[in-house]
Amino acid sequence: MIAVSDVHHHIGQAQILRDITLTLPAGKITALIGPNGAGKSTLLSLVARLTPLQQGQITVAGLDVQRAPSRELARTMAILPQNVAVFSRLRVRELVAFGRWPHHQGRPGPQDAAKVAAALHDMGLDDLSHRFLDQLSGGQRQRAHLAMALAQDTPWLLLDEPLAALDMAHARALMQTLARLRDSGKSIVMVLHEVNYAAAWADHVVALKAGRVLAHGTPETVFAPDVLGALYDTRLRVIRQDGRPLVLHHL
Amino acid sequence: MIVLRARPLVLMVLALIPLALASLLIGVADLSGAQGGLILSISRWPRTLAVMLTGAALAVAGVVMQELVRNRFVEPGTTGTGEAAALGLLLATLAFPEAGIGTRMIAASLGGLAGTAVFLSLIRHLPPQEVLLIPLTGLIWSGVLGAVVLHIGWQTDLIQLVGIWLMTGEFSGVIAGRYELLWIAGLAAGLALFAADRLAILGLGDGVARGLGLNPEAVMRLGLVIVAVVTAMVMATVGMIPFLGLVVPNIVSRVMGDNLRASLPVTALAGAGLLLTCDIIGRLLIFPYELPVSTVLGVLGAGVFLWLLWRRPGHD
Ligand SMILES: Nc1ncnc2c1ncn2[C@@H]1O[C@H](COP(=O)(O)OP(=O)(O)O)[C@@H](O)[C@H]1O
Ligand SMILES: [Mg+2]
């Protein structure tokens, strides 16, 4: 599990996160939701030790993210940051292969090649693997970065808005892949912009607003109309579809 | 697959051999005379080696700089590294006139290191999507440093020395015993080959690098040392040579991408080949006189670079 305790974060004078104490369950898909600027990306990048922790403590599978060796952390969690932009002119396969770095540190073996091939396949990139990244569309590039995170093959997968730029079919395919990974024992934490993906696929939901946890728990508890309405400051309706909440907000 | 990867490398080696032979054969003195062997070992061979080491090292340093800054339009000659190294060398020469070559080279490298570090902190807050702001800042910074070096040079009557460092890179004065520092530049560039994966991962961004368990600051420091040492050695031995670190990496990247593990050896050989070509042209054009290699490269390099800029669709 991921344990976040007593985390505060500020940038300059602005308080970005206040008093966050949470546990995120292992073996589940956890969705982080909340309005723009709520602090979702900040929280995820603190967990992934991309941003230095200012106060509090975070452990991932028992490893203190501030103290554990960086290679061990890299074999425990993979992170897809929000809006990654890459200047390098790499082929898709070369980018994805870098995901194996924490395991082989420069001496890739046949097992590494197999994981790269599997990740490319899972993201539907078989036919694009020899293309340069600058010859891809935004969504294809996003899938290449996702494949890199998948190739890292870590027990924990942290994804910041992985569906951003993906079309419906690829978004659904990604969620199915993630559900399959969850069923094989992996743990996934993802920031989701579109609440209905969280409603349909997440096992656990954390709702952040203005740097605080507004609610967390099963989709059933978080997707109550009054909770969700307060979260996004908007009028909406929640119905049930196939045993899952479905949010209607085009009213 | 492996064959395909090896091909540019093989091609480069095959191109370099006739160039090196030509460089050994071209000159006023007749190699078939009694002094032929001596001329070869004292002058032609050192010159050919010096040109190749310089070309390879500068091209690699260009790539390293571009990965550190994540911008294609920089090289040590346009980020103040050369001028800062010259400043370090000048100050050491003034402060310790008796100092040996080792001390002065360390001073030059430290100068280059400091100058490049300042450049990196200058550009840290520039918006990354404004691709041309970074080289522009570099040009201004190197202009400022160059002016300081020239001013101190005037004041201390060392302007001639400074002129040799900063202005025209050329190899006509290279003989055995006067180029060996370039081996250090070659070694520093060799270090980049060993760190190719790390440098390539750093180029993907600090976040990605950290996520893969790399310490971006440590890789950054290594890259800085490589760039500073290469630049300092070249500047002090043959003078600054513009454009090479810009043109060669850009062309190689166009052709084979930025997977440095595969592309860096090709870049090194291409740098050696291009500089050797320019040196040979410089020696032939007004034979038996010579044009400085940096002049030839300046014309050729500026042309190639304008072409690169023109055919590159803005930002991709
Ligand atoms: N560099 C920065 N300087 C000042 N404020 C920032 C900076 N980066 C982010 N913020 C602020 O932090 C808050 C949280 O940002 P973020 O975690 O990216 O939100 P989101 O929930 O949309 O992912 C936002 O209000 C944003 O304006
Ligand atoms: Mg965000």
Side-chain angles (χ1 to χ4, degrees), chain B residues 28 282-291:
Chain B
V28 177
R283 284 149 79 184
L284 288 179
L285 224 48
I286 49 169
F287 190 84
Y289 306 102
E290 285 194 21
L291 282 175

Side-chain angles (χ1 to χ4, degrees), chain A residues 37 39-42 82 160-161 191:
Chain A
K40 308 178 293 293
S41 295
T42 307
Q82 189 173 9
D160 198 345
E161 300 206 15
V191 175

Side-chain angles (χ1 to χ4, degrees), chain A residues 199-217:
Chain A
W201 296 89
D203 306 305
H204 189 82
V205 181
V206 176
L208 280 183
K209 185 178 187 183
R212 295 178 199 274
V213 178
L214 193 79
H216 69 108

Side-chain angles (χ1 to χ4, degrees), chain B residues 65 68-69 79-81 84 109-124 141 145 220-221 224-225 227-228:
Chain B
M65 196 70 216
L68 293 189
V69 176
T79 55
T81 313
S109 301
L110 289 178
L113 207 60
T116 318
V118 170
F119 169 70
L120 288 179
S121 66
L122 283 177
I123 61 164
R124 183 170 304 153
W141 174 230
L145 283 173
M220 184 82 103
R221 279 195 293 271
L224 268 177
V225 168
V227 168

Side-chain angles (χ1 to χ4, degrees), chain A residues 83-91 95 132-134 141 145, chain B residues 62-74 128-129 131 134 199-206 208 249-250 253-254 257-260 312 315-316:
Chain A
N83 301 329
V84 274
V86 160
F87 115 101
S88 307
R89 212 162 165 265
L90 290 174
R91 291 177 197 282
L95 177 80
F132 283 112
L133 291 174
D134 55 18
R141 212 171 305 149
H145 285 103
Chain B
V63 173
V64 174
M65 196 70 216
Q66 287 151 24
E67 295 287 336
L68 293 189
V69 176
R70 291 172 201 127
N71 184 300
R72 286 199 190 289
F73 304 116
V74 296
Q129 65 277 17
V131 215
I134 289 176
L199 289 164
I201 291 174
L202 186 71
L204 298 178
D206 281 1
V208 173
N250 271 285
S253 164
R254 270 280 127 199
D258 294 325
N259 186 17
L260 299 190
R312 172 170 282 267
H315 174 244
D316 59 11

Side-chain angles (χ1 to χ4, degrees), chain B residues 83-93 104 107-112 149 165 235:
Chain B
E83 286 79 2
L87 185 58
L89 188 53
L90 184 60
L91 293 180
T93 309
R104 285 192 285 149
S109 301
L110 289 178
V149 174
W165 295 337
M235 181 273 303

